[in-house]
Amino acid sequence: MDRVPVLKLGDILIVSIQIDLQDQSVLALQEDLADRVVATGARGVIIDITAVEIVDSFIGRMLATIAAISRMLDAETVVVGMRPAVAITLVELGLSLGGVRTALNLEKGVALLNHLEGAQIVTAAR
């Protein structure tokens, strides 16, 4: 089973989904991410779905579930990199992704988390 890596940048965790998600890999991701939020005290989670071309109701529910778990652990979730076709599919499936914040790309996702109270994201010096 492929696992999705969870990277840490300051107070946020970054998950870049680069594999086709199967049920077991999604369940592993949920558990790995919840453990990392607690272990690191992360205040934000960014899930990059740029490489995801096809979604179904399972993936939509997975995003909402991960956001809910993170929120219960005091971390906000932002989904970034959603393709137009993915957004259209999610709307057609009737999935509103309640509680999930979205941003066009990773940079905007980090900026969104920076605006949330308590988020202290480390950024590179200019």
Side-chain angles (χ1 to χ4, degrees):
M1 172 182 66
D2 292 328
R3 294 186 93 91
V4 178
V6 179
L7 307 174
K8 184 177 182 302
L9 175 66
D11 283 354
I12 64 172
L13 299 175
I14 300 173
V15 177
S16 182
I17 298 174
Q18 301 291 320
I19 62 172
D20 290 331
L21 292 173
Q22 305 298 321
D23 292 0
Q24 289 301 318
S25 57
V26 169
L27 295 173
L29 173 60
Q30 288 177 351
E31 187 173 320
D32 292 347
L33 191 54
D35 288 344
R36 289 290 305 269
V37 168
V38 171
T40 64
R43 305 285 296 178
V45 173
I46 293 178
I47 301 174
D48 180 6
I49 62 170
T50 304
V52 175
E53 296 180 7
I54 299 171
V55 295
D56 56 16
S57 60
F58 178 72
I59 299 294
R61 285 193 311 271
M62 178 270 305
L63 294 173
T65 300
I66 287 175
I69 292 169
S70 297
R71 203 169 32 256
M72 299 263 312
L73 297 172
D74 197 24
E76 291 293 329
T77 300
V78 179
V79 174
V80 302
M82 187 178 300
R83 295 175 183 224
V86 170
I88 291 168
T89 301
L90 290 172
V91 170
E92 288 176 350
L93 290 172
L95 298 172
S96 64
L97 301 183
V100 178
R101 298 171 190 264
T102 59
L104 288 179
N105 54 43
L106 181 60
E107 183 177 8
K108 290 185 177 188
V110 170
L112 177 60
L113 286 174
N114 274 330
H115 288 291
L116 298 175
E117 183 179 350
Q120 299 294 318
I121 311 301
V122 175
T123 57
R126 294 180 187 207

